[in-house]
Amino acid sequence: MALSLNPAQRAAVNQISDPLLVLAGAGSGKTRVIIDKIAYLLHAGYQAEHVFAITFTNKAAREMRERVAKRVSREAAEPLTICTFHALGLKLLQVEHAAAGLRRGFSILDADDALNLFKELAPAGLNKDALQLLRNLVSTAKDEGLSPAQAIAKALSPRELEAAELYAAYQRRLSNFNAVDFDDLIYLPARLLDQDEALRGRWQARIRYLLMDEYQDTNRAQYRMVKHLVGARGAFTAVGDDDQSIYSWRGANPENLKDLARDFPALQVVKLEQNYRCSGRILRVANALIAHNPHLIEKRLWSAHDEGKPIRVLACRDELHEAERVAAEIFHRQIESQSRWHEFAVLYRGNHQARALEQALRLLGVPYHVSGGTAFFERSEIKDVLAYLRLLVNPDDDAAFLRAVQAPKREIGTTTLEKLALCAGSKHLSLLHAAASMDVQQQLAARPGAALMQFADQLERWRLAAASLSAGDLVARVISESHYDSHLQATVKDPVAIGYRRDNLAELLRFVHAAAKGRGALVDLQAELALLSFSERDEPGNAVRLSTLHAAKGLEFAHVWLVGVEDGNLPHEGSINEGRLEEERRLMYVAITRAKATLTLSYAAHRRRFGELERQQPSRFLDELPAADLQREGDDPERDASERRDRAGSHLARIAALLG
């Protein structure tokens, strides 16, 4: 297999007789190993439909499938399952919906709908932070595999008991809606696999070999799900790096790496320590930093690349000065190196740090792209149309009903909807079924009652049409016959904004036509859309990338600037106060190892917070870096002056170009 693999990579690919943990350092070619291992498994006689690979984003799954197809042929790759944990959980629930107490076509509530539902059930008067805390406690209970009854029994404080009781009410409401939330896509499959031996056997027979990427980011529920899927055979390869575990805030548990050895005594470990990305100096600095953290298994990355340039450390007056200097350096470096703009990145701890950088880059005419922003599938017009699809698939989805019935407005006010909800509750009907009930209609005023009946009739017509239309044609018909464009014109005053929203709907149509395979695909399509986010379809083009440290994981750039390297920011103030520095150190390690050729770190002496200018201290992490590899301002005044002259010359050239 693949002669270009190094010995450690080849060992990871060829080991298929025992469970395997691949400790893959940053830039060590782990994706290449996974691709080649899939090819090796097929060559060794595994049937493609029994090989499953799990990644953490839909984008990573799509890219992995494309690379496998190039490696083994598109036909050979087609039966493979390459997806996220949540998509695998969804696949299992779609097959085993009855065992989970669900009906076919169940809905998946997005984060906003789930929080709104939770808010309806919570005591009145809770502020946003208190509500979110209770919601997080429920999410944690699901992560730990606790049922509502178990959560109530385990509660140790009044707050935990309140959350557990809300959990019980919340799950009852989800059941009434025939709906699940994102946590359920892991929690429910893990419980089913644990409790139902026959079901567990079916899925172990279906998944003969399992590959997992970014294993250090798994939570406890995901680990339980994996353990049940692979069973005693332990036919799996887990690829991860405890030094890059940076998602504890969403439940990631690097201890899952340690538990593999306990639960699978035959576990083999292969360490990928050759880094193919960074210069020798950048890698040495990264190693020195992360050496201050404890490790489950020791490893030390090395690089065959040249030493490279020293890591520059900039001391700035404030965030505006920092942004101006970084923008000027990017501009100068691009002219000097003739690199493309997408080879540059500015990384920061929090999204608020992007504002000053955007302004400074705009002044120099530098194209940039901010990672994140409003997710495509979170835009109001997209969520409106998807609410119609959810309702067509699942008439019991009350959250979807409330959104769709008001987009556009149909002379149906809040008072009517509240009365409809009361009637529906008393008769144990969904809102849609209640709207079509003659008994309920008699309790409503004539005009809004007629409007509700018309809405229900229209949905029924679309549901009948769905049997003979492709999903794409059905969505186009819903947009047209709902008169959604008139709704945009009535609710959005800015013609430019209307144009953007029309473009987004056109993009949705293109996506649906491409994603839906043949007729009758609406159920599967609606579920797939619920798992997607625009951030995973985000293509910045040829532009400087502005990104948080978390969003930059998995990416690489020739030239990287890491800004705001100050105590209270990196490491974050909360982590300092609570003594949780290890993950913050891993976060900086991830940032450093995004850089291939050059790395610049900067900090500000003052930074504005809540309108006040506050004194800042350089990050304590700077003292953990080898001084010999750092180039601090003031160490060499002659060199500093020369660099300032070079940057000034670049500015003059830019001004001359702007003046023609």
Side-chain angles (χ1 to χ4, degrees):
M1 292 295 298
L3 296 177
S4 60
L5 296 175
N6 67 39
Q9 289 173 329
R10 193 171 301 114
V13 167
N14 294 345
Q15 170 56 267
I16 61 174
S17 58
D18 293 312
L20 177 66
L21 170 61
V22 180
L23 279 178
S28 61
K30 66 181 178 65
T31 306
R32 170 70 186 279
V33 166
I34 295 172
I35 301 302
D36 275 27
K37 184 146 197 174
I38 291 173
Y40 185 78
L41 287 164
L42 300 182
H43 180 75
Y46 278 83
Q47 297 299 308
E49 59 266 27
H50 296 307
V51 175
F52 283 58
I54 302 177
T55 69
F56 264 81
T57 68
N58 291 296
K59 179 181 179 182
R62 289 192 298 272
E63 290 175 351
M64 185 177 290
R65 177 171 290 282
E66 287 299 314
R67 289 181 62 175
V68 170
K70 291 178 181 177
R71 181 73 175 78
V72 301
S73 84
R74 193 161 297 278
E75 293 73 23
E78 183 63 30
L80 293 165
T81 297
I82 302 176
C83 64
T84 65
F85 265 106
H86 287 89
L88 179 58
L90 173 62
K91 186 186 292 285
L92 187 148
L93 288 178
Q94 286 174 327
V95 174
E96 311 288 355
H97 56 85
L102 297 165
R103 300 184 297 283
R104 177 167 167 75
F106 58 86
S107 295
I108 305 169
L109 298 192
D110 65 19
D112 284 344
D113 285 339
L115 188 59
N116 288 336
L117 175 57
F118 201 76
K119 185 176 181 180
E120 289 178 22
L121 299 169
L126 285 182
N127 63 35
K128 183 178 180 181
D129 289 342
L131 183 68
Q132 189 61 58
L133 174 60
L134 291 173
R135 180 74 182 92
N136 290 343
L137 287 172
V138 171
S139 185
T140 299
K142 290 187 179 184
D143 179 24
E144 294 175 355
L146 301 177
S147 68
Q150 290 170 325
I152 290 172
K154 191 179 178 184
L156 298 176
S157 68
R159 180 58 59 88
E160 288 185 0
L161 181 59
E162 182 181 19
E165 290 171 343
L166 275 172
Y167 177 19
Y170 175 71
Q171 290 303 110
R172 284 195 297 271
R173 185 67 65 88
L174 285 178
S175 178
N176 292 340
F177 283 5
N178 190 34
V180 297
D181 63 16
F182 265 54
D183 290 332
D184 287 329
L185 295 179
I186 307 299
Y187 163 70
L188 291 175
R191 282 187 72 86
L192 289 175
L193 290 164
D194 179 50
Q195 297 173 358
D196 189 328
E197 185 177 354
L199 182 150
R200 185 167 62 247
R202 288 196 299 273
W203 282 86
Q204 288 177 356
R206 186 171 184 170
I207 301 177
R208 304 301 294 171
Y209 202 96
L210 181 65
L211 302 103
M212 295 165 284
D213 194 11
E214 304 288 4
Y215 184 73
Q216 76 282 347
D217 292 334
T218 54
N219 60 30
R220 299 306 296 173
Q222 288 165 335
Y223 180 61
R224 286 193 300 275
M225 183 175 164
V226 164
K227 196 163 64 166
H228 292 315
L229 287 172
V230 300
R233 288 177 57 246
F236 69 83
T237 293
V239 181
D241 180 10
D242 55 333
D243 289 335
Q244 297 188 73
S245 179
I246 59 174
Y247 293 111
S248 65
W249 49 275
R250 68 182 189 196
N253 187 352
E255 291 293 309
N256 288 348
L257 290 163
K258 183 188 296 184
D259 290 345
L260 281 176
R262 180 198 66 201
D263 295 332
F264 299 94
L267 183 75
Q268 303 295 308
V269 178
V270 173
K271 295 189 282 188
L272 303 185
E273 297 174 296
Q274 182 174 359
N275 174 285
Y276 291 93
R277 176 188 302 153
C278 307
S279 71
R281 198 184 303 267
I282 289 172
L283 200 56
R284 186 162 56 245
V285 166
N287 282 336
L289 175 70
I290 206 64
H292 288 79
N293 272 8
H295 289 80
L296 300 174
I297 302 173
E298 290 295 332
K299 67 179 186 305
R300 188 168 183 83
L301 298 188
W302 61 276
S303 172
H305 292 319
D306 294 338
E307 276 286 275
K309 295 182 178 181
I311 283 68
R312 298 179 64 244
V313 181
L314 305 181
C316 306
R317 294 190 300 272
D318 55 32
E319 67 266 30
L320 296 180
H321 183 224
E322 179 183 52
E324 290 166 0
R325 294 198 62 182
V326 169
E329 291 206 351
I330 290 173
F331 183 77
H332 171 69
R333 185 75 56 80
Q334 193 275 335
I335 292 175
E336 181 184 59
S337 66
Q338 291 299 298
S339 301
R340 289 175 61 78
W341 291 117
H342 66 75
E343 296 180 55
F344 298 83
V346 187
L347 309 181
Y348 38 79
R349 182 67 174 81
N351 279 309
H352 64 279
Q353 294 173 261
R355 290 193 291 269
L357 292 161
E358 288 189 73
Q359 182 178 356
L361 290 169
R362 279 199 301 267
L363 286 173
L364 291 176
V366 174
Y368 67 87
H369 174 88
V370 182
S371 289
T374 303
F376 182 77
F377 287 98
E378 295 300 314
R379 296 179 188 275
S380 60
E381 63 275 13
I382 303 301
K383 292 183 75 169
D384 288 344
V385 174
L386 294 187
Y388 281 103
L389 300 192
R390 285 165 52 187
L391 204 51
L392 288 172
V393 170
N394 176 14
D396 294 331
D397 190 337
D398 284 357
F401 176 91
L402 289 172
R403 185 167 196 114
V405 79
Q406 298 178 84
K409 300 287 186 183
R410 295 176 167 83
E411 297 184 330
I412 302 169
T414 304
T415 302
T416 298
L417 291 175
E418 288 177 353
K419 194 164 187 177
L420 177 67
L422 287 173
C423 293
S426 67
K427 295 180 178 297
H428 306 291
L429 297 172
S430 70
L431 292 175
L432 178 57
H433 287 130
S437 164
M438 294 308 300
D439 288 344
V440 174
Q441 281 286 327
Q442 291 172 3
Q443 301 179 54
L444 301 174
R447 289 184 64 179
L452 282 170
M453 183 63 80
Q454 289 172 5
F455 178 65
D457 289 344
Q458 187 177 50
L459 283 167
E460 183 58 28
R461 289 194 297 273
W462 289 335
R463 187 174 293 107
L464 293 172
S468 58
L469 292 176
S470 70
D473 289 341
L474 178 64
V475 173
R477 184 165 172 177
V478 167
I479 293 173
S480 172
E481 294 183 0
S482 67
H483 304 294
Y484 193 82
D485 194 70
S486 298
H487 169 67
L488 287 180
Q489 295 182 61
T491 56
V492 182
K493 303 306 179 187
D494 183 358
V496 176
I498 292 175
Y500 282 138
R501 297 192 183 200
R502 285 172 174 161
D503 289 344
N504 287 336
L505 291 173
E507 172 64 20
L508 175 66
L509 270 177
R510 284 192 292 272
F511 182 83
V512 171
H513 277 296
K517 297 178 180 178
R519 299 178 187 273
L522 184 60
V523 171
D524 293 335
L525 174 68
Q526 189 275 323
E528 180 183 350
L529 290 173
L531 295 179
L532 288 175
S533 72
F534 181 69
S535 61
E536 294 171 352
R537 304 170 60 240
D538 208 4
E539 299 299 334
N542 186 30
V544 175
R545 180 76 70 103
L546 305 184
S547 173
T548 63
L549 304 186
H550 288 97
K553 189 168 180 292
L555 304 178
E556 60 181 41
F557 307 92
H559 310 286
V560 170
W561 281 258
L562 174 56
V563 301
V565 187
E566 302 138 18
D567 270 4
N569 189 52
L570 183 63
H572 194 269
E573 184 177 15
S575 298
I576 296 174
N577 294 339
E578 297 169 19
R580 296 183 292 103
L581 291 177
E582 292 176 10
E583 180 156 334
E584 293 292 302
R585 190 177 282 113
R586 292 195 293 266
L587 199 52
M588 186 163 173
Y589 172 82
V590 166
I592 290 173
T593 54
R594 299 312 93 198
K596 296 192 289 186
T598 71
L599 173 66
T600 303
L601 313 176
S602 67
Y603 60 87
H606 294 87
R607 196 170 292 274
R608 195 168 297 279
R609 292 186 62 189
F610 309 113
E612 299 292 331
L613 207 58
E614 295 184 359
R615 179 75 182 174
Q616 305 294 307
Q617 292 296 324
S619 171
R620 63 194 65 194
F621 292 156
L622 290 173
D623 294 332
E624 298 177 358
L625 308 182
D629 290 313
L630 304 183
Q631 178 184 315
R632 293 177 181 267
E633 286 187 303
D635 291 347
D636 187 339
E638 187 175 331
R639 179 200 61 215
D640 293 345
S642 174
E643 290 179 352
R644 283 195 297 271
R645 286 193 297 272
D646 288 344
R647 287 194 296 273
S650 297
H651 279 296
L652 289 173
R654 176 62 174 168
I655 291 170
L658 290 172
L659 293 174

